[in-house]
Amino acid sequence: MDAAMIIPVEGLPEVTETFNIGKAIAERVQMTDGDIVAVSQKIVSKSEGRVVRLDETDPGPDAVSLAARTGKDPRLVQHVLNESRNLIRVDEQRSVLITETHHGYICANAGIDQSNTAGENQAILLPLDPDGSARRIRVELETASGVKAAVVVTDSFGRAWRHGQVETAIGCAGIDPLDDWRGQEDQRGRELTATVIAVADQIAAASDLVRTKTDGVPAVVLRGLDHFVTEDDGPGCAAQLREPGDDLFR
């Protein structure tokens, strides 16, 4: 197997609504068939107009109450509630709301972020349909470059039992997010019964090794992993989500 490379996509301009992310990437990196493009959720959200103004937000009584308990801006809390279908936990000490988003992701503050925004009164929401976003960018890439690539949309998530954040896949196209090894045999001939590799998440985490929030590189191209790339878009990252009855920790 050839070695994998991670190529930063440098020189991308500030992303605004309707920005063609795939075309911009293809103009800066010579794409090849089988490449995997990992794109930060933040620029995807910006390109889809998922930016809200806090100075135009009128918080309701639930948001005001939660803001008083956590010390958070009640206007921001209102958007957290708007983007959530369940409030899982209120951590007053750490000023964090753990919610289940409408996509089914469980994360802090519904994934809403204020870093790298145009002003203090702005906040960036998650894409409405991250898998759909990945499919759109995949079409943009193929139209601009003529190659068949996969796309992974990534975001930073914390872990329940470990310090630090890890970049995680929240949307993908052209790749199966899970590589199921069950039924295969290990080196000693024992059948694997539980091994399902989270390929999309591993790609997302690898992408963050060559880009950070401070270096202005919101996308990378991973090369040498073409055996993971599929002709069709695949099931998307929605396939990774556990059904409530299969969740051991809620």
Side-chain angles (χ1 to χ4, degrees), residues 82-111:
N82 292 346
E83 296 297 308
S84 303
R85 65 187 183 194
N86 285 308
L87 180 61
I88 304 297
R89 180 178 177 184
V90 179
D91 192 325
E92 299 178 9
Q93 182 178 357
R94 297 175 179 82
S95 187
V96 172
L97 301 173
I98 303 299
T99 74
E100 181 181 12
T101 71
H102 293 298
H103 323 83
Y105 291 116
I106 296 176
C107 53
N109 305 318

Side-chain angles (χ1 to χ4, degrees), residues 119-163:
E120 292 183 2
N121 276 311
Q122 288 189 345
I124 301 176
L125 314 179
L126 294 181
L128 283 172
D129 177 10
D131 286 326
S133 302
R135 292 191 292 269
R136 170 179 60 81
I137 296 170
R138 190 184 195 207
V139 171
E140 293 173 351
L141 280 165
E142 185 172 4
T143 300
S145 65
V147 305
K148 184 66 75 174
V151 174
V152 177
V153 178
T154 77
D155 195 15
S156 297
F157 276 42
R159 283 85 54 75
W161 296 288
R162 299 174 76 92
H163 291 295

